[in-house]
Amino acid sequence: MKNFEFHNPTKIVFGADTVARLSTLVPHDARVLILYGGASAEKTGTLAEVRAALGQRSVQEFGGIEPNPSYETLMRAVAQVRSEKLDFLLAVGGGSVIDGTKFVAAAALHDGEAWDIAERGGANIAQALPFGAVLTLPATGSEMNSGGVVTKKATHDKLSFRSPLLYPQFSVLDPSKTFTLPAKQVANGLVDAFVHTTEQYLTYPVQARVQDRFAEGLLQTLVEIAPQAVASPDDYETRANLMWTATLALNGLIGAGVPQDWATHMIGHELTALYDIDHARTLALVLPALLDVQREQKRGKLLQYGERVWNITEGSDDERISAAIAHTRAFFESLGIPTRLSAYELGQEAVEAVLKQLAAHGMTALGEHRDIDLARSRLILEAAL
Amino acid sequence: MKNFEFHNPTKIVFGADTVARLSTLVPHDARVLILYGGASAEKTGTLAEVRAALGQRSVQEFGGIEPNPSYETLMRAVAQVRSEKLDFLLAVGGGSVIDGTKFVAAAALHDGEAWDIAERGGANIAQALPFGAVLTLPATGSEMNSGGVVTKKATHDKLSFRSPLLYPQFSVLDPSKTFTLPAKQVANGLVDAFVHTTEQYLTYPVQARVQDRFAEGLLQTLVEIAPQAVASPDDYETRANLMWTATLALNGLIGAGVPQDWATHMIGHELTALYDIDHARTLALVLPALLDVQREQKRGKLLQYGERVWNITEGSDDERISAAIAHTRAFFESLGIPTRLSAYELGQEAVEAVLKQLAAHGMTALGEHRDIDLARSRLILEAAL
């Protein structure tokens, strides 16, 4: 096990009918900005519940935060925060809204050009506004971690940032708020949580037995609940398991003391920025291909994954690894999520375009061994054609 | 899944050579009281390391906190804190020292009789001194939770207390600090962590899939590492897994959203208070007997436990449950820890004495169903004879 620090101060309030708890979670004298995405927050009644819970507090709103939140949009929220002297942010939505809120929280108090925050990965964040979240879409884990991703539309740059100042003070997780999600978003969430877990698990063994067991428990749960999660929108227990699993997949716990990969995410980000493919869908494109290209480096963990998550115990090592990768691919496809670039009518020209962006962003030594250079990224992308 | 809140703000600093990190973890202007137990903290060099890391800070020490820390001893520490105007506590030791430090942190700022804190279970704690811990004995999980247990020697009362104000600000977990532990204490720690887990897992199913998987992962890990943990004191990786597993067994995570039992602990506490049997050893006495007496109420989870932790898949339901309980008993015995009161030369008179104490402490409706009254506690104790 590697040395590690683990410190996650976010308070989770989980369960049915918990949105009303905002009445005590948000400071009574706060000047609040509610940030949200599209019209669904209003249509489903969640925004009305939030407003009611906030009672007599001074509250303003900022809607229209898009999937893969853009710097351009978020800076309009920053302007509102500054001009209206707002001092508490409340994200109501999924990972994009919470990521965006984190960026606003830091940018509102940042001296100088706010894009620097993204370019320096958050290392230059000296202070941030306090904020909380009401989660409506289980997927990214942003509700209980300190990172985010922001995209500059003008240049197609999609960059991540992180700071200990960017943990939500609280997050309200009411699984029934997911009942109205489109099936596609639920499927995306399942894949997103799955790949968050594999990024911290499918590397090389360091005798971190508990972290391995926890990661395997998350993957097993996702596999078990996936059909029901997509097919039965109002099955509370299934949605509760999806929501808590997605949170635990990226709250620092399973990644503490182990090597981490994240190459799938870095390559996937370029696909989103270039072709506007949903984040989770880019992960499904890259992961199976990456596991195949990196099968030697990941041999030990791929065998363990095959046995413990997919019950693969027959055949040679190589056969078992191939079967584990095939099961992974089939799992994504079973959710209606393609694992081949051809499904998006992308071919060799996309490989070249992604490689160019990876080079431009300095993504030339990815993965737990830092051995995924541009040549290897090419192999991965070509394996995903 | 039940509704829940989860909020654990303790910072964990884990790994080899991390004691030196105290130099930045403890506030620079703190007036520190180091609390510790017996002579081993000095002999092993840990205290010297701690003093060196604290540098030029104003530091005093309070040694002699005993296993099952006594109110009488702790109130002497409280007197020292008050008279010397100390403002930061640093526990160096295992669960008893950390529990004791928590009591001192609350009692030092408590108006009125400090024993009230124990009698009210901590509900009357209005403020507490900040404190941190250097863990030397993996077992109780006190290093990452907000509870403790204190014993009044004069009356043999052993009571637990808890408060959101009693999370350590940080805990330093260096597995190599456990190399010098007597084998008996390591065995106790394995059992303690095991039973902490079963108290939150072996109840009734509520479709909390992740919590179940995590609990099973902790139990599997304890079973896997136990022989090596006892036999090879300086096997760093094994001790690292023991330490992190014991912490995660009682930090609120696996208990969030599920029913909890704790009857084994309540009955066990009386055995410690009356006969001075090590805490973990009382748990090994009570748990197998309790699982047998409560086998109907716990049927679903006992079957799941048998299959997932012990690979028991053959036989009727009742046979599989009996096998799961037998495996549990054999596991404790394999560590040299008895599961029968007769091993301590205790018989029917002990049953009567424990029942009398349970009655005196109002422990007449224990367990996840509150159905363990004195008559059922009698059955459990008699099954442990």
Side-chain angles (χ1 to χ4, degrees), chain B residues 46-214:
Chain B
T46 301
L47 272 182
E49 268 187 82
V50 168
R51 289 184 199 113
L54 292 176
Q56 298 305 307
R57 292 174 182 82
S58 172
V59 175
Q60 298 194 19
E61 297 180 6
F62 183 89
I65 296 181
E66 60 274 69
N68 306 302
S70 76
Y71 177 68
E72 291 84 350
T73 298
L74 298 173
M75 289 309 290
R76 291 193 288 111
V78 169
Q80 184 174 347
V81 166
R82 288 175 171 168
S83 67
E84 303 292 326
K85 300 192 192 327
L86 305 174
D87 59 17
F88 195 96
L89 308 182
L90 182 61
V92 179
S96 293
V97 173
I98 303 173
D99 279 13
T101 298
K102 289 176 180 175
F103 189 82
V104 173
L109 302 182
H110 187 74
D111 289 331
E113 174 63 40
W115 185 246
D116 291 348
I117 292 170
E119 294 206 319
R120 296 206 40 209
N124 52 345
I125 295 173
Q127 48 184 335
L129 289 175
F131 65 98
V134 175
L135 183 68
T136 59
L137 170 55
T140 75
S142 190
E143 63 277 9
M144 199 183 183
N145 67 39
S146 60
V149 182
V150 62
T151 301
K152 202 173 205 174
K153 276 193 215 163
T155 55
H156 285 201
D157 288 321
K158 183 170 182 180
L159 297 177
S160 56
F161 57 97
R162 167 176 312 279
S163 164
L165 297 166
L166 293 184
Y167 283 96
Q169 286 197 346
F170 62 81
S171 284
V172 174
L173 277 57
D174 180 346
S176 64
K177 293 295 163 212
T178 72
F179 291 175
T180 53
L181 287 173
K184 181 181 172 183
Q185 288 195 18
V186 175
N188 282 355
L190 287 158
V191 171
D192 203 16
F194 194 95
V195 182
H196 287 160
T197 307
T198 61
E199 296 276 29
Q200 302 165 85
Y201 166 65
L202 285 177
T203 57
Y204 54 89
V206 293
Q207 296 192 54
R209 291 170 183 267
V210 180
Q211 292 91 326
D212 282 2
R213 291 284 183 193
F214 279 18

Side-chain angles (χ1 to χ4, degrees), chain A residues 1 5 213 224 237, chain B residues 1 5 21 213 224 237:
Chain A
M1 201 182 300
E5 281 193 24
R213 291 285 184 191
E224 287 168 3
E237 293 298 342
Chain B
M1 200 181 303
E5 281 193 24
R21 290 287 314 284
R213 291 284 183 193
E224 286 168 4
E237 293 298 342

Side-chain angles (χ1 to χ4, degrees), chain B residues 306-328:
Chain B
E307 181 173 347
R308 294 191 183 173
V309 177
W310 298 110
N311 299 311
I312 299 167
T313 56
E314 308 280 312
S316 70
D317 282 7
D318 273 323
E319 286 166 351
R320 287 155 64 196
I321 289 172
S322 294
I325 297 171
H327 273 83
T328 309

